[in-house]
Amino acid sequence: MAVKKVKKRRIAIIAIAAFTVYVLISTIFIYNSIQTKQNKLDSLQTQIEENKILNQEFKELIDEGVDEDYIVKMAREKLGLVFPDERVYVDIAGSGN
C-alpha cells in the first residue's frame, strides 16, 4: 500500500511539473507574440502620424489657394496616389543608355 501511495505521489508531482513547464513555455510564446504585435502597432502609429502631417500640409496648401495641379503632383510624388480610372505604367527597361 505504501508503494502505491509513493507511485501516485510521483505521478502527481510529474503531472504538476509537466503542467508548470507547459504554462511557462506558453507564457514565453504569448509574450513574444505580444512584443511582435506591439512593434507592429508602433510602426502603424508612426505611419498614421506621418500621414496626419501630410494631410495637414495638403490642407494648408488648399487653404492658401494653391493650384490644383500642384496638389495632384504632390499627392503623386509623396503618397504615390493616382486617380481611380488612371493606369500607371512603369518603365522597367530603364533609360536605354
Side-chain angles (χ1 to χ4, degrees):
M1 270 241 232
V3 176
K4 287 183 181 181
K5 286 184 180 181
V6 171
K7 285 184 180 181
K8 286 182 181 181
R9 192 171 288 162
R10 281 187 188 166
I11 292 173
I13 291 172
I14 291 171
I16 291 171
F19 180 72
T20 304
V21 169
Y22 169 75
V23 168
L24 289 175
I25 291 172
S26 296
T27 303
I28 291 170
F29 280 117
I30 290 171
Y31 178 76
N32 287 337
S33 176
I34 290 171
Q35 288 297 86
T36 302
K37 301 292 183 188
Q38 185 64 44
N39 291 341
K40 179 71 174 174
L41 177 64
D42 293 342
S43 172
L44 291 174
Q45 286 176 336
T46 302
Q47 289 177 3
I48 288 170
E49 291 302 318
E50 290 171 357
N51 285 335
K52 283 182 180 180
I53 292 169
L54 282 173
N55 284 341
Q56 185 62 35
E57 289 176 7
F58 287 139
K59 285 180 184 178
E60 290 173 4
L61 289 174
I62 290 171
D63 291 342
E64 291 174 4
V66 176
D67 186 24
E68 183 179 331
D69 292 333
Y70 179 75
I71 294 172
V72 170
K73 178 183 173 190
M74 295 305 290
R76 287 177 195 269
E77 289 177 3
K78 288 193 175 188
L79 298 176
L81 299 177
V82 295
F83 289 104
D85 58 345
E86 184 177 19
R87 288 189 180 180
V88 178
Y89 296 96
V90 178
D91 182 13
I92 61 172
S95 62
N97 291 332

